Amino acid sequence: LAKTTQPISMDSYEGQEVNITCSHNNIATNDYITWYQQFPSQGPRFIIQGYKTKVTNEVASLFIPADRKSSTLSLPRVSLSDTAVYYCLVGANSGYSTLTFGKGTMLLVSP
Amino acid sequence: EAQVTQNPRYLITVTGKKLTVTCSQNMNHEYMSWYRQDPGLGLRQIYYSMNVEVTDKGDVPEGYKVSRKEKRNFPLILESPSPNQTSLYFCASSPRGLSYEQYFGPGTRLTVT
């Protein structure tokens, strides 16, 4: 199971673009990269998932280089409500697999 | 509304008194999972289930039991709770593999004294 490494915390200001990078050097061929957001005392919420290159949805973009050993979650123009913990996960998209969330990145957005 | 529900949301109990935290999903998902979250340790998987009657251990299964007799329900059982099981517990479900999008319940805050 591929381990992930991401910064413990990041600070930003409203309106800025935030990029959170996750390292996953041992990613397997059939592994996907998934990001979740969690507010205090709430369950994590799915943000985005990708396998390679770039994925974009209404809230974020996910950039994955060709070697897939890292990925970057990009949040455009953050607001105060984006203050949360962001988790990067790597694992197979089906079948038996445990899932390790790790400690995540605490993003603090200030006015 | 598609959702995962957990009950109770808050529970204070004493050491050794058996308890069950229920989890139910209405999305017909095959995969369900239990996590605990502790300060500084992030989310850790306790048990997961691939389908009815199919369960397996996660990273921290000691002291917990689960069952999956129906597709929609995945209760977490603490036969003899101890203070180190004081935590915030989340149940989640997924339509496909565990690495696919998971839908989380609201959480159950358990305190064992």
Side-chain angles (χ1 to χ4, degrees):
Chain A
L1 185 67
K3 297 290 186 184
T4 60
T5 302
Q6 46 182 131
I8 294 175
S9 65
M10 295 182 67
D11 295 320
S12 183
Y13 293 96
E14 283 190 290
Q16 291 189 333
E17 178 184 73
V18 171
N19 296 308
I20 306 175
T21 298
C22 179
S23 172
H24 28 80
N25 291 319
N26 296 321
I27 190 169
T29 302
N30 60 345
D31 283 344
Y32 281 71
I33 300 154
T34 312
W35 286 81
Y36 283 82
Q37 174 193 57
Q38 186 181 26
F39 299 112
S41 297
Q42 293 186 25
R45 183 176 71 98
F46 173 89
I47 300 175
I48 197 167
Q49 183 180 69
Y51 183 80
K52 62 180 179 180
T53 63
K54 176 184 175 181
V55 180
T56 297
N57 62 22
E58 63 276 8
V59 298
S61 294
L62 178 59
F63 297 92
I64 306 169
D67 66 6
R68 303 202 326 126
K69 293 183 182 300
S70 67
S71 59
T72 299
L73 174 72
S74 180
L75 304 172
R77 299 183 58 80
V78 294
S79 64
L80 297 177
S81 63
D82 291 316
T83 293
V85 178
Y86 292 83
Y87 295 96
C88 165
L89 289 83
V90 172
N93 207 10
S94 63
Y96 285 93
S97 175
T98 58
L99 203 59
T100 302
F101 270 74
K103 300 179 183 179
T105 298
M106 174 65 217
L107 172 65
L108 176 61
V109 180
S110 301
Chain B
E1 178 188 357
Q3 61 182 348
V4 177
T5 57
Q6 296 179 225
N7 283 292
R9 295 289 313 281
Y10 302 90
L11 179 61
I12 301 174
T13 190
V14 296
T15 299
K17 185 177 181 180
K18 180 179 179 179
L19 67 92
T20 299
V21 183
T22 64
C23 173
S24 182
Q25 50 94 4
N26 62 0
M27 296 168 279
N28 201 36
H29 287 170
E30 290 187 351
Y31 300 84
M32 297 186 74
S33 186
W34 275 102
Y35 298 86
R36 63 177 288 175
Q37 186 168 37
D38 303 289
L41 296 177
L43 274 157
R44 296 179 292 170
Q45 192 177 46
I46 304 171
Y47 268 96
Y48 63 94
S49 171
M50 308 296 285
N51 212 327
V52 175
E53 303 291 1
V54 181
T55 63
D56 206 349
K57 298 177 180 178
D59 295 323
V60 288
E62 295 77 20
Y64 304 95
K65 287 176 58 178
V66 293
S67 68
R68 188 92 180 274
K69 299 187 187 309
E70 304 167 282
K71 198 172 188 178
R72 64 183 293 127
N73 297 321
F74 190 43
L76 180 69
I77 303 158
L78 284 72
E79 293 271 3
S80 182
S82 62
N84 64 12
Q85 292 179 297
T86 292
S87 187
L88 179 59
Y89 291 87
F90 291 103
C91 178
S93 72
S94 171
R96 287 165 51 182
L98 291 174
S99 294
Y100 199 70
E101 179 176 355
Q102 292 193 66
Y103 296 79
F104 281 79
T108 294
R109 187 167 293 280
L110 172 65
T111 301
V112 183
T113 61

